[in-house]
Amino acid sequence: MVKRIGFVGLGAMGSAMAKNLIDAGYSVAGFDLRETARAALAEQGGIAAATAQEAAKDVEALILMVVNIDQARSVLFDLGALDALPEGAAVCLMATCPPASVEKLAAEVQSSGRLFVDCPVSGGVVGARAASLTIMVGADEGALEKVQPILSTLGSRVFHVGMRAGQGANVKAINQLLCGVHIVAAAEAMALGERAGLDTGVLLEILRGSAANSWMLNDRGPRMLSEDPEVTSTVDIFVKDMTIALEAGRDAHMGLPLASVAMQIFAAESGAGNGQEDDSQVIRAYRRLNGF
């Protein structure tokens, strides 16, 4: 059983995931560019690694909870984590990345004598803290078997969606396509209610109790009515994720018109300088578009 884990990417989700692994009895060596994040890991009982190389040394699995595929490649190759990783160890890519890029990265990692597990997650910060993430795995059975206990510690639902890397990324891209479209649709509906002069609090209550409800409306709707909501997922994250969904559609030779429209709304809100605002604030794009 894997007991020593390297963890790179100690952001809001990554730090919570690392803590769950520590609490489950794993030895976790973590690296993040921010010294404060490394210090917080040490306070939780982990090992603060000074470099990505150090985090990967003498571990049996290396988890990458980074922002994108470019960061994953930088950690593995530019910062030397792959060379430091013992032969036979597993690289677990848990970030949301383009399927084709994941497939290419997997081939490079596997050619070095290491295992590769494509295992993006869904559930956000709340799911990371509660260890209730949904994890979508694209990997052969041997690689999955090696890291299954780790994944089961981090998530309540682990799905083996395919035998090759990139298939987990495809499922995550589809998941994010729906999430992005649902957020934009909810924003459009709530903005129409505002423009029509309705009591949007009552409107939201009605919609959340009717067939019009969705998980995203239920979760983001109240924050759309707040002037300064807590940031749990940013507008720019969905600019990235919708771009990935569109890339997946392009690679599958399939048009995705709804995803394209949603992408433009998120991009417009980011372009207005609000990329780091909570994604619920994409409703502002509708307010500007319609002059209110």
Side-chain angles (χ1 to χ4, degrees), residues 9-285:
L10 301 170
M13 288 186 67
S15 60
M17 293 162 69
K19 182 180 185 302
N20 288 334
L21 291 169
I22 293 166
D23 291 346
Y26 289 96
S27 172
V28 179
F31 174 73
D32 192 281
L33 290 175
R34 296 168 299 127
E35 184 177 350
T36 53
R38 300 195 301 271
L41 178 73
E43 290 177 6
Q44 293 169 346
I47 302 165
T51 65
Q53 252 185 339
E54 188 178 313
K57 187 178 180 181
D58 297 327
V59 301
E60 296 149 284
L62 176 66
I63 295 175
L64 302 180
M65 193 60 193
V66 292
V67 172
N68 53 37
I69 193 70
D70 291 336
Q71 285 192 7
R73 295 191 66 85
S74 178
V75 167
L76 291 173
F77 303 115
D78 300 336
L79 301 184
L82 186 61
D83 286 339
L85 195 64
E87 194 164 330
V91 173
C92 300
L93 180 59
M94 306 195 79
T96 303
C97 300
S101 298
V102 172
E103 195 169 357
K104 179 181 178 183
L105 179 60
E108 294 175 78
V109 170
Q110 290 164 342
S111 69
S112 76
R114 283 83 173 180
L115 304 176
F116 188 93
V117 182
D118 164 30
C119 48
V121 303
S122 180
V125 176
V126 172
R129 290 172 179 164
S132 61
L133 294 168
T134 295
I135 304 175
M136 299 143 269
V137 182
D140 64 54
E141 291 179 352
L144 175 57
E145 183 179 358
K146 184 179 183 71
V147 302
Q148 178 79 54
I150 297 173
L151 302 184
S152 296
T153 299
L154 298 173
S156 58
R157 301 197 303 165
V158 179
F159 293 96
H160 190 195
V161 301
M163 293 293 290
R164 61 178 176 80
Q167 291 177 301
N170 258 312
V171 174
K172 181 60 190 294
I174 293 167
N175 182 82
Q176 294 308 99
L177 183 158
L178 282 169
C179 289
V181 168
H182 288 176
I183 290 172
V184 168
E188 185 168 294
M190 295 307 298
L192 174 59
E194 289 181 11
R195 187 57 179 263
L198 300 175
D199 182 324
T200 51
V202 173
L203 173 63
L204 180 60
E205 184 179 356
I206 292 169
L207 296 177
R208 292 169 84 184
S210 74
N213 195 25
S214 68
W215 194 96
M216 282 299 183
L217 174 64
N218 193 57
D219 185 75
R220 276 15 179 223
R223 302 211 295 272
M224 288 179 184
L225 304 185
S226 172
E227 292 185 7
D228 188 26
E230 177 187 1
V231 178
T232 63
S233 172
T234 68
V235 169
D236 277 347
I237 286 176
F238 269 96
V239 172
K240 173 182 76 79
D241 288 357
M242 297 308 287
T243 299
I244 290 172
L246 291 169
E247 287 183 22
R250 179 199 64 199
D251 292 343
H253 305 289
M254 180 175 174
L256 302 173
L258 291 180
S260 297
V261 171
M263 167 64 179
Q264 293 303 316
I265 301 297
F266 282 114
E269 189 56 25
S270 179
N274 299 318
Q276 293 305 303
E277 296 294 325
D278 187 73
D279 57 36
S280 64
Q281 298 310 292
V282 75
I283 191 172
R284 297 177 187 174

